[in-house]
Amino acid sequence: DDAKAAKKDGEEPADSDGKQKQDDKDKSGDDGVDYTTTPAPADDSEMTILHHIASQIQEQVDSGKHQFVPAGAALAFGLLMLFNGKGMFHLLLLAAAFVLFFVFAMSEVSAALGVGRHSLISHVVGLEAGLLGAFVAKRGIDGVVAAVGMAVGALLAMLSREELIHLGMSSLEDNRGLIVAMYSVFVLVFAWVFAASKHLRAVALFSSIAGGLLVSSAVSWAVTVIAIRSNWIASALPAATPKAGTWLDFFLLLVHPDANDVGVFAHSRYNAMVHGAIWRTDRVVGLVLAAILFIVGFRVQSRILRSSLAADARECDVLREALLSEA
């Protein structure tokens, strides 16, 4: 009995060890490589590269260093949007095409050649592809504009569907035919609107608003920096307490009433109290300047748009008369 017990005790560990070895073998495979660990996601995917580009831009805008770069860019783009909304709209489309081709090429090169996205060859190929994509988009800008119209239509159809469902139109939840018809109408209508240049007046309106805000925020940032570095504000307005910030802080001050108070009159007695609410002087002055710039920019763009449409109409009349004369 003792021998049998000893034998049994000796066999059980052996069986246990054998089973453990078999489990380890099943996990590792015949070649001894452990396949149970999920490999980390690739670091050079399109979304990773886009996130890296966005983080670099955000770091530059949010950091306190070299703020003249985003402020100068805001001033330049703001002026362009004020007086040439159509050109700015096309420029944004070309920039989007450049970024898409740039990111896709960098990802493909990284995967094909086994190099990281930070390598020189990835940047060179990405730059070449980006420039080529922008060139192709420029040559076929009308088609790109129509495609943007389709995307806008699809986006508005999605938002409208969600709002209608929220209001009680339950048929838009599972009626596939109705959903497809709704999306088709939105996409086709907005593709026609953009292709027929019916969107240009809306582009002029929104670009004038955005341009006025960009220019006003850049000017406010520059004036505050000058006021802090010089003594003229202390002698002219002794109660003023100028507070610096990033250009983004000055932009947010204009578009959001609860943003951080920055500018020449930040937290000073020059801020007025109206019905229990503080009217910050820097925000009021910035919005007044943005409104003036908007009015000027929209009038200029409207005049240019009318002239362009009149010239197109005259050209169509000339072509029509030429075709009628030949007939």
Side-chain angles (χ1 to χ4, degrees):
D1 293 337
D2 293 338
K4 291 180 179 180
K7 183 178 180 182
K8 183 177 181 181
D9 292 338
E11 289 176 354
E12 285 181 352
D15 293 340
S16 177
D17 292 342
K19 184 181 293 185
Q20 182 67 31
K21 291 179 180 179
Q22 182 65 33
D23 291 340
D24 292 340
K25 184 178 180 180
D26 292 339
K27 290 181 181 179
S28 62
D30 295 336
D31 52 1
V33 179
D34 188 2
Y35 294 104
T36 60
T37 303
T38 303
D43 190 41
D44 298 305
S45 64
E46 287 85 350
M47 293 305 300
T48 303
I49 298 174
L50 280 175
H51 184 268
H52 176 71
I53 295 173
S55 63
Q56 291 294 319
I57 296 175
Q58 183 178 3
E59 180 181 354
Q60 176 60 47
V61 173
D62 291 341
S63 66
K65 299 180 180 179
H66 310 298
Q67 278 299 301
F68 65 90
V69 175
L75 180 63
F77 282 105
L79 290 173
L80 181 59
M81 296 179 76
L82 275 173
F83 302 111
N84 191 0
K86 179 182 178 181
M88 188 62 194
F89 179 64
H90 288 175
L91 182 61
L92 289 176
L93 295 181
L94 298 182
F98 174 85
V99 171
L100 290 176
F101 277 78
F102 176 82
V103 170
F104 181 77
M106 285 190 64
S107 176
E108 291 301 310
V109 168
S110 300
L113 302 183
V115 296
R117 67 170 182 269
H118 299 291
S119 65
L120 178 60
I121 189 171
S122 295
H123 283 81
V124 170
V125 175
L127 181 61
E128 292 176 350
L131 292 175
L132 180 61
F135 174 75
V136 172
K138 180 66 173 64
R139 297 289 292 180
I141 193 66
D142 293 336
V144 175
V145 169
V148 171
M150 296 170 63
V152 171
L155 176 62
L156 292 178
M158 180 187 68
L159 297 176
S160 301
R161 175 173 174 252
E162 293 177 354
E163 185 64 24
L164 290 173
I165 292 175
H166 178 71
L167 294 176
M169 194 172 178
S170 58
S171 58
L172 283 174
E173 290 189 33
D174 51 9
N175 191 327
R176 297 178 180 177
L178 185 59
I179 295 172
V180 171
M182 179 181 178
Y183 271 77
S184 299
V185 170
F186 270 82
V187 169
L188 292 176
V189 168
F190 277 90
W192 171 78
V193 167
F194 275 70
S197 300
K198 303 293 185 181
H199 65 292
L200 293 181
R201 193 165 184 82
V203 168
L205 175 66
F206 288 110
S207 67
S208 297
I209 295 174
L213 293 172
L214 289 174
V215 173
S216 179
S217 60
V219 171
S220 299
W221 174 85
V223 171
T224 303
V225 170
I226 295 173
I228 293 175
R229 294 183 180 181
S230 62
N231 296 325
W232 66 269
I233 190 67
S235 57
L237 300 170
T241 55
K243 179 184 177 182
T246 64
W247 163 79
L248 184 61
D249 292 331
F250 286 84
F251 181 79
L252 292 177
L253 179 66
L254 299 180
V255 300
H256 199 289
D258 297 327
N260 293 329
D261 195 7
V262 292
V264 175
F265 305 104
H267 306 293
S268 69
R269 65 179 179 87
Y270 294 106
N271 296 330
M273 182 73 70
V274 180
H275 299 293
I278 299 178
W279 284 49
R280 291 178 282 186
T281 304
D282 291 293
R283 186 167 191 266
V284 172
V285 172
L287 289 176
V288 169
L289 176 59
I292 295 174
L293 292 171
F294 159 72
I295 294 172
V296 174
F298 186 65
R299 287 178 63 88
V300 170
Q301 291 196 62
S302 298
R303 189 179 299 114
I304 294 174
L305 182 58
R306 285 194 298 269
S307 300
S308 176
L309 292 176
D312 292 340
R314 287 193 298 269
E315 184 178 354
C316 289
D317 291 338
V318 171
L319 293 174
R320 187 182 300 109
E321 291 178 358
L323 291 174
L324 291 175
S325 62
E326 290 180 1

